[in-house]
């Protein structure tokens, strides 16, 4: 009786082959998680919806009476030639206000985020900028007496741009955040020596590159008299410090501090931006290189006491460079005044 042919022994996969297979499966699962997560973000945090057009009435220039006039402003007449500008898709604006405990806004900045090109702009609006608002000439920071919404309206009227959101930050937030992340390295541009007992404010900081704690960081943000050009110099330092703070806060080493940072924001920050919009902008900002994708500047002008009066042509050029609208913005879209 012949024997049945012997079957070949089953070869066990090599360790390397099993390892590669395991990695492949893991990569596949991770890919599914990423795709599912991205889909979920688009479902629960879709791109915010804003108006596609902005209508501006050029007639608002005409009704300004002399600066010393107490005459009431005439009721505006609807203008059939109102200017209609079309917004570029994926471009959003946010007004950033820095508010001190004693009231009033020390800092006014307009942020513009182009989610398509992953670029952003941060524009300082000097607090002494003259505007014609509520029937009289005044400094733009004085409009805060009417609340955050009044500042939003004043900025929209001045520059002819939409303001989609506002973020109002108590300046003490900078002190708390800086201490939580262990300080911020920053190149202080000038000697800062200022005391104000009324505000319980003492600023004593040497110039140069250094690690700032929370108290010194708040001083850097607030010191105005430290510069020969007052608010203009401070605005440039504020923009530079905010960039440094953002770079040194959004790091893997601070991942464990997210909860405490969120608590700080909830305590010191007010905003009309919905949470899902915050999530959307946060995901869109991932991977941005702030050294190349963030432009900072200030509204050009000159000091003519008691106001900072804007340079019409320079400001118009800046507004057009922001890329908010599809078309070129004409001068009549802005409401720059010279008392």
């Amino acid at each position: 009786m012949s024997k049945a042919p012997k079957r070949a022994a089953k070869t066990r996969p090599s360790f390397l082959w099993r390892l590669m297979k395991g990695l492949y499966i893991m990569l596949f699962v991770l890919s599914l998680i990423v795709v599912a997560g991205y889909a979920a973000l688009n479902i629960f945090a879709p791109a915010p919806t804003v108006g596609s057009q902005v209508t501006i009435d050029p007639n608002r220039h005409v009704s300004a009476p002399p600066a010393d006039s107490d005459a009431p402003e005439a009721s505006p007449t609807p203008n059939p030639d109102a200017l209609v500008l079309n917004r570029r898709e994926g471009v959003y604006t946010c007004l950033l206000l820095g508010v001190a405990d004693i009231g009033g806004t020390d800092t006014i900045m307009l942020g513009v985020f182009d989610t398509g090109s992953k670029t952003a702009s941060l524009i300082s609006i000097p607090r002494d900028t003259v505007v014609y608002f509520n029937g009289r000439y005044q400094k733009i920071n004085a409009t805060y007496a009417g609340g955050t919404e009044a500042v939003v309206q004043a900025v929209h009227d001045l520059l002819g741009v939409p303001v989609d959101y506002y973020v109002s930050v108590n300046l003490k937030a900078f002190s708390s955040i800086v201490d939580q992340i262990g300080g911020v390295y920053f190149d202080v541009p000038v000697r800062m020596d200022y005391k104000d007992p009324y505000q319980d404010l003492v600023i004593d900081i040497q110039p140069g590159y250094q690690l700032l704690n929370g108290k010194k960081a708040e001083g850097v943000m607030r010191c105005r008299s430290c510069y020969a050009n007052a608010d203009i110099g401070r605005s440039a330092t504020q923009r530079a410090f905010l960039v440094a703070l953002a770079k040194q806060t959004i790091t893997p080493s601070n991942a464990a501090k997210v909860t405490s940072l969120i608590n700080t924001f909830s305590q010191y920050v007010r905003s009309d931006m919905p949470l899902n919009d915050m999530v959307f902008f946060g995901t869109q900002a991932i991977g941005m290189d702030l050294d190349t994708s963030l432009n900072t500047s200030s509204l050009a002008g000159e000091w003519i006491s008691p106001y900072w009066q804007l340079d019409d042509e320079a400001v118009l050029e800046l507004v057009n460079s922001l890329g908010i609208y599809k078309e070129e913005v004409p001068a009549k879209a802005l409401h720059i005044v010279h008392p």
Side-chain angles (χ1 to χ4, degrees):
M1 182 174 177
S2 61
K3 293 183 178 181
K6 198 172 184 179
R7 291 185 179 179
K10 188 174 182 180
T11 304
R12 187 179 181 186
S14 68
F15 171 77
L16 182 60
W17 187 89
R18 284 182 283 126
L19 177 63
M20 293 298 294
K21 182 178 180 181
L23 290 175
Y24 177 79
I25 293 173
M26 184 183 299
L27 181 62
F28 178 72
V29 172
L30 287 175
S31 298
L32 287 179
I33 293 174
V34 171
V35 171
Y38 181 78
L41 282 174
N42 278 277
I43 293 173
F44 296 107
T49 300
V50 295
S52 61
Q53 294 182 326
V54 175
T55 301
I56 299 172
D57 185 358
N59 274 351
R60 68 193 191 287
H61 291 264
V62 180
S63 58
D68 57 353
S69 172
D70 294 327
E73 182 178 3
S75 301
T77 303
N79 183 3
D81 299 321
L83 180 66
V84 178
L85 297 173
N86 298 287
R87 296 186 58 168
R88 288 181 56 233
E89 187 175 352
V91 180
Y92 302 91
T93 64
C94 180
L95 191 66
L96 174 64
L97 304 176
V99 181
D101 280 339
I102 60 172
T105 175
D106 260 5
T107 303
I108 306 175
M109 295 184 183
L110 178 69
V112 181
F113 185 18
D114 187 335
T115 58
S117 64
K118 294 294 191 296
T119 57
S121 299
L122 189 61
I123 312 301
S124 293
I125 303 174
R127 53 177 281 169
D128 293 330
T129 299
V130 60
V131 295
Y132 184 75
F133 192 75
N134 277 351
R136 62 190 180 92
Y137 295 109
Q138 56 184 307
K139 296 178 180 180
I140 194 166
N141 74 315
T143 64
Y144 187 75
T148 303
E149 293 75 14
V151 187
V152 168
Q153 182 59 43
V155 171
H156 164 67
D157 191 50
L158 175 68
L159 301 179
V161 299
V163 178
D164 300 321
Y165 309 98
Y166 74 82
V167 176
S168 178
V169 184
N170 187 300
L171 293 176
K172 288 189 178 297
F174 296 106
S175 175
S176 178
I177 292 171
V178 168
D179 281 339
Q180 287 178 56
I181 66 173
V184 167
Y185 284 97
F186 185 67
D187 190 2
V188 179
V190 296
R191 174 76 169 98
M192 297 186 172
D193 185 8
Y194 178 76
K195 296 177 178 62
D196 185 346
Y198 177 67
Q199 300 186 56
D200 192 24
L201 180 63
V202 177
I203 302 174
D204 183 9
I205 308 171
Q206 295 293 334
Y209 189 76
Q210 58 193 285
L211 180 65
L212 299 176
N213 61 20
K215 183 178 180 180
K216 288 187 175 181
E218 183 181 352
V220 166
M221 289 292 289
R222 297 186 65 178
C223 193
R224 186 182 189 217
S225 62
C226 309
Y227 305 93
N229 53 356
D231 197 48
I232 305 306
R234 181 176 68 166
S235 295
T237 298
Q238 288 176 336
R239 295 194 305 273
F241 179 79
L242 288 176
V243 172
L245 178 62
K247 288 181 180 178
Q248 296 173 53
T249 301
I250 308 172
T251 62
S253 62
N254 288 324
K257 302 169 185 173
V258 170
T259 300
S260 62
L261 290 171
I262 290 176
N263 289 336
T264 298
F265 274 98
S266 64
Q267 180 180 357
Y268 292 110
V269 177
R270 293 191 304 107
S271 178
D272 61 350
M273 185 183 297
L275 179 59
N276 59 327
D277 289 1
M278 292 183 186
V279 173
F280 171 80
F281 292 125
T283 58
Q284 294 297 307
I286 293 174
M288 284 182 64
D289 182 355
L290 295 183
D291 288 326
T292 59
S293 59
L294 175 63
N295 296 312
T296 65
S297 59
S298 181
L299 297 186
E302 63 177 329
W303 176 256
I304 302 177
S305 184
Y307 302 115
W308 180 256
Q309 296 199 30
L310 299 182
D311 180 323
D312 298 52
E313 292 184 5
V315 173
L316 178 61
E317 182 179 353
L318 175 60
V319 170
N320 273 301
S321 73
L322 298 176
I324 297 173
Y325 296 113
K326 294 179 179 179
E327 54 270 290
E328 190 82 1
V329 179
K332 65 180 181 179
L334 281 60
H335 191 189
I336 297 174
V337 295
H338 299 278

